[in-house]
Amino acid sequence: DWRLGRLQHNIGMCHYRLGNLDEAGDYLESSLQIKEAGLRRLKSESTTAQEIDAGNRLQIATGKQALANVHFQMKEYDQAEALATESIGIRADVLEPDHYQLSDSRELLARIKLRTNRAGEAVTMLETIRSDRLARNDSPVKIAWTESNLGQALLDTGRPGEAEGVLLAAWNVLTS
């Protein structure tokens, strides 16, 4: 039952926000198991509508994204990267190419790359994400956090002049 999966997901998110990362991971993994079993069951029914399938797959992507965040916070970057990549794959298959959830998933992957000494890859990703967020007219705060991550990546690639401009722009938004 999808409702049980959502309940497990929400309990996991409570633990995540409380800083109980092990418990968060347990609940989020349980949620994914329930949701994935439900999706397999739906796929076996020939009368399943495409919209229902897409919604269920997005629920799984959201769960994988949340669990990736837990692993990221626990510095378990290999697991975080695998889950974030899976989430991006599902979202890219279901959503429009410029959907904000794709930017959110890609930004987590860029942050993982930054933490695992792949700042050059992170810069490329974050520049694209920032452009997408600006084109979509996302909230200034969301753009500023992307710029904050981009500034860090630029610093890590030895580009302090570029980093300063991006970081100052983020600072101005986040402190106003």
Side-chain angles (χ1 to χ4, degrees), residues 61-82:
T62 299
K64 287 182 183 287
Q65 177 83 5
L67 190 54
N69 271 306
V70 169
H71 286 291
F72 179 81
Q73 294 298 322
M74 296 175 75
K75 297 179 172 60
E76 297 170 347
Y77 300 122
D78 289 341
Q79 296 95 323
E81 185 167 355

Side-chain angles (χ1 to χ4, degrees), residues 160-173:
E162 292 174 74
E164 181 183 21
V166 172
L167 292 169
L168 283 172
W171 174 263
N172 289 333
V173 169

Side-chain angles (χ1 to χ4, degrees), residues 64-161:
K64 287 182 183 287
Q65 177 83 5
L67 190 54
N69 271 306
V70 169
H71 286 291
F72 179 81
Q73 294 298 322
M74 296 175 75
K75 297 179 172 60
E76 297 170 347
Y77 300 122
D78 289 341
Q79 296 95 323
E81 185 167 355
L83 288 161
T85 301
E86 288 176 34
S87 178
I88 290 168
I90 294 168
R91 287 177 169 174
D93 191 43
V94 175
L95 299 171
E96 294 296 321
D98 64 343
H99 198 281
Y100 77 92
Q101 286 183 352
L102 274 167
S103 293
D104 293 347
S105 293
R106 289 179 178 133
E107 186 153 358
L108 174 59
L109 185 57
R111 290 173 54 218
I112 294 165
K113 289 180 184 291
L114 187 56
R115 291 277 177 94
T116 55
N117 300 315
R118 294 177 285 166
E121 292 176 53
V123 167
T124 301
M125 292 179 73
L126 290 163
E127 287 175 335
T128 301
I129 294 163
R130 180 177 62 169
S131 294
D132 291 346
R133 291 195 189 287
L134 288 167
R136 205 175 31 247
N137 202 25
D138 283 358
S139 79
V141 170
K142 195 149 225 108
I143 294 166
W145 282 116
T146 299
E147 289 176 333
S148 174
N149 289 319
L150 176 57
Q152 181 62 55
L154 288 166
L155 273 175
D156 287 359
T157 58
R159 296 158 64 185

